[in-house]
């Protein structure tokens, strides 16, 4: 993470591991000094920690002085970490006046620079006056062969976060909206979106207009990713959205306590739809190629509308096709329905008879096992088996069996790029592969 500072310094020569700054203001505050004890002049790998911990000694000619130390990433989009966590506040020192941090390399530059600042007689959150000293550390970084942890974002909860694409740009929904133009190696936050930290979903229509759905403040729309407009007229209770569908001629949304809604005039007014008596929260609103709308509710009830949502009819499914709860629902271009549910069950159904085949991967281990992350391409179907003794990405063209993607750490999310490569979500991080 980066804490903006107002004091810039000169760029260090590559061959030097650290150097005192000569461009600090002529008037400094206090007598605190920074001395590099260990960790300068290192080399590392994109997305990974440098091999050695960086250790700084804090000194002063006045025994009564107390300090705050902060930093600025001058070059590279890496992270400063302490005790396994990224630092987003003044860095904590030990009782001996020593500061130990780890530097995780960014992915956007082979030469990376990190500057520390010491403030004398400052609190943990306020830096008075100007720094009394600073020091810059330089490191070299290279892109690894194989999997690489991507850079430029904070840790991600893949229960809610996801990657989408528009043209050749990838977007990551992650307590905000980030974009990547290099296939997911580097991510950059898109600024200016209202209630950015609440974004839970984002979609584009064929005109490349962007729509973001927030946790409590409804939907915002933009034609250029710069000017954003609220389109919430008619929505009553916008807390905790459960479903979202963006089309060129209609938009659909539903919330935990209210909905679903439809607009056919780009949000100038939303009409509340009545799905049926006893319907619980609406999930997975999808459009079939024949024009029908389909959705599930919390009770596994499958509903269909042939008039764009004005009326809905139940379409009962056999219990062998849906176990406990639906965790994903996708429709292929040929019209087949793909349903991922509990007991690690994948059902592929005819859209008119609602009969079909089942693939189940459940193994008894007294835990929830699900199928989600269904991805349908022109000639293959991929899906994720979660919490199973043999978890991972499975594929139709692999005999409905586990794919070997060369990623050896457990993961709970993937995104399939147009070039056939995967992004993998594991332990709160995205991983990139050429």
């Amino acid at each position: 993470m980066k804490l903006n500072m107002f004091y810039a310094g000169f760029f260090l020569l590559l061959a030097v591991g650290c150097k005192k700054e000569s461009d600090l203001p002529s008037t400094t505050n206090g007598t605190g000094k920074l001395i590099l004890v260990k960790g300068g002049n290192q080399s590392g790998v994109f997305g990974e920690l440098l091999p050695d911990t960086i250790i700084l000694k804090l000194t002063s000619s006045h025994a009564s002085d107390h300090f705050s130390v902060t930093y600025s990433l001058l070059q590279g989009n890496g992270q400063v970490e302490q005790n396994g966590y990224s630092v987003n506040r003044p860095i904590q020192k030990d009782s001996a006046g020593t500061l130990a941090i780890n530097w995780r390399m960014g992915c956007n530059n082979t030469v990376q620079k990190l500057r520390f600042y010491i403030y004398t007689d400052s609190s943990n959150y306020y830096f008075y006056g100007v720094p009394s000293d600073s020091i810059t550390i330089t490191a070299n970084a290279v892109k690894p062969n194989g999997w690489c942890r991507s850079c430029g974002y904070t840790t991600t909860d893949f229960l809610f976060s996801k990657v989408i694409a528009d043209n050749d740009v990838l977007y990551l929904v992650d307590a905000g909206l980030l974009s990547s133009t290099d296939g997911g190696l580097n991510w950059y936050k898109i600024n200016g979106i209202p209630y950015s930290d609440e974004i839970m979903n984002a979609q584009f229509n064929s005109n490349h207009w962007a729509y973001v759905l927030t946790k409590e403040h409804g939907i915002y729309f933009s034609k250029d990713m710069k000017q954003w407009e609220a389109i919430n007229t008619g929505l009553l209770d916008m807390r905790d959205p459960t479903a979202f569908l963006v089309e060129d001629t209609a938009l659909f949304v539903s919330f935990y306590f209210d909905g679903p809604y439809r607009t056919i005039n780009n949000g100038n007014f939303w009409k509340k739809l009545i799905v049926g008596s006893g319907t619980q929260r609406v999930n997975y609103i999808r459009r079939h190629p024949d024009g029908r709308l389909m959705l599930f509710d919390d009770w596994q009830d499958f509903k269909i509308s042939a008039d764009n949502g004005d009326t809905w009819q139940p379409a009962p499914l056999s219990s062998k096709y849906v176990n406990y709860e639906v965790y994903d629902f996708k429709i292929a271009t040929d019209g087949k329905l793909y349903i991922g549910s509990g007991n690690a069950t994948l059902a592929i159904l005819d859209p008119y008879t609602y009969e079909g085949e089942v693939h189940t991967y459940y193994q008894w281990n007294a835990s929830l096992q699900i199928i989600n992350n269904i991805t349908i391409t022109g000639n293959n179907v991929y899906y994720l088996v979660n919490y199973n003794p043999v978890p991972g990405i499975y594929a139709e063209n692999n005999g409905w069996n586990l794919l070997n993607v060369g990623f050896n750490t457990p993961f709970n999310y993937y995104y399939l790029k147009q070039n056939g490569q995967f992004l993998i979500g594991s332990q709160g991080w995205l991983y990139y592969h050429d």
Side-chain angles (χ1 to χ4, degrees), residues 105-413:
M105 292 287 91
C107 306
N108 64 349
N109 209 304
T110 57
V111 180
Q112 306 195 21
K113 300 179 182 181
L114 170 64
R115 181 173 297 165
F116 294 95
Y117 300 84
I118 184 170
Y119 286 78
T120 307
D121 292 326
S122 292
S123 73
N124 277 342
Y125 294 95
Y126 298 97
F127 315 117
Y128 304 125
V130 297
S132 56
D133 195 18
S134 65
I135 193 170
T136 297
I137 300 174
T138 297
N140 299 326
V142 297
K143 186 177 179 180
N145 295 321
W147 290 100
C148 171
R149 188 167 122 174
S150 59
C151 302
Y153 62 99
T154 57
T155 54
T156 296
D157 183 351
F158 291 108
L159 288 175
F160 303 101
S161 304
K162 65 175 184 177
V163 176
I164 60 174
D166 183 59
N167 283 341
D168 295 326
V169 180
L170 297 180
Y171 294 89
L172 172 63
V173 178
D174 176 40
L177 191 64
L178 300 95
S179 65
S180 174
T181 57
D182 59 9
L185 178 60
N186 290 284
W187 296 91
Y188 301 92
K189 188 165 186 178
I190 299 172
N191 296 315
I193 306 176
Y195 302 103
S196 176
D197 290 344
E198 289 189 16
I199 294 175
M200 298 185 68
N201 201 328
Q203 294 181 33
F204 293 83
N205 66 13
S206 66
N207 297 315
H208 313 294
W209 297 354
Y211 297 81
V212 296
L213 177 62
T214 67
K215 182 175 175 59
E216 294 186 348
H217 292 87
I219 301 165
Y220 285 80
F221 148 76
S222 176
K223 292 183 179 181
D224 58 7
M225 303 294 287
K226 297 177 182 178
Q227 301 296 321
W228 293 88
E229 174 187 353
I231 52 170
N232 299 316
T233 303
L235 298 178
L236 298 179
D237 191 337
M238 299 181 288
R239 293 175 295 168
D240 300 317
T242 60
F244 192 39
L245 175 63
V246 170
E247 300 178 320
D248 289 347
T249 57
L251 310 175
F252 298 86
V253 69
S254 196
F255 303 93
Y256 192 88
F257 300 101
D258 194 21
Y261 289 89
R262 180 194 68 204
T263 178
I264 57 174
N265 54 17
N266 203 44
N268 288 324
F269 183 77
W270 292 84
K271 176 183 177 180
K272 187 168 182 176
L273 307 177
I274 306 302
V275 175
S277 175
T279 298
Q280 297 296 303
R281 286 162 289 274
V282 167
N283 302 281
Y284 310 111
I285 300 175
R286 305 285 188 249
R287 178 81 71 179
H288 194 271
D290 67 10
R292 290 179 296 167
L293 287 171
M294 300 179 175
L295 59 78
F296 282 91
D297 78 356
D298 278 353
W299 295 139
Q300 312 166 30
D301 291 334
F302 188 42
K303 305 288 179 64
I304 295 175
S305 173
D307 53 13
N308 208 32
D310 288 332
T311 60
W312 296 83
Q313 293 75 40
L317 298 179
S318 169
S319 59
K320 68 181 178 180
Y321 298 132
V322 179
N323 277 290
Y324 299 106
E325 184 176 348
V326 174
Y327 290 93
D328 201 0
F329 171 46
K330 298 290 172 58
I331 303 175
T333 55
D334 65 4
K336 288 182 181 178
L337 313 180
Y338 290 78
I339 304 168
S341 62
N343 275 6
T345 301
L346 176 69
I348 304 103
L349 305 182
D350 181 276
Y352 304 105
T353 66
Y354 310 114
E355 297 289 336
E357 60 183 297
V358 174
H359 299 275
T360 181
Y361 302 89
Y362 181 79
Q363 296 186 35
W364 178 255
N365 67 348
S367 67
L368 175 69
Q369 300 175 34
I370 69 173
I371 284 179
N372 64 350
N373 221 156
I374 300 170
T375 302
I376 303 171
T377 68
N379 58 6
N380 207 350
V381 177
Y382 302 87
Y383 49 99
L384 193 62
V385 177
N386 270 302
Y387 316 119
N388 178 278
V390 191
I393 301 171
Y394 287 64
E396 177 184 12
N397 285 358
N398 198 42
W400 306 100
N401 293 314
L402 179 68
L403 284 176
N404 180 8
V405 295
F407 192 90
N408 298 320
T409 302
F411 58 91
N412 59 343
Y413 178 79

Side-chain angles (χ1 to χ4, degrees), residues 79-105:
Q79 288 187 173
V80 171
E81 298 182 13
Q82 199 170 48
N83 301 320
Y85 296 94
S86 60
V87 176
N88 61 355
R89 58 180 181 173
I91 306 170
Q92 300 301 306
K93 59 187 181 297
D94 61 23
S95 58
T98 299
L99 182 152
I101 66 100
N102 298 106
W103 185 7
R104 187 176 297 277
M105 292 287 91

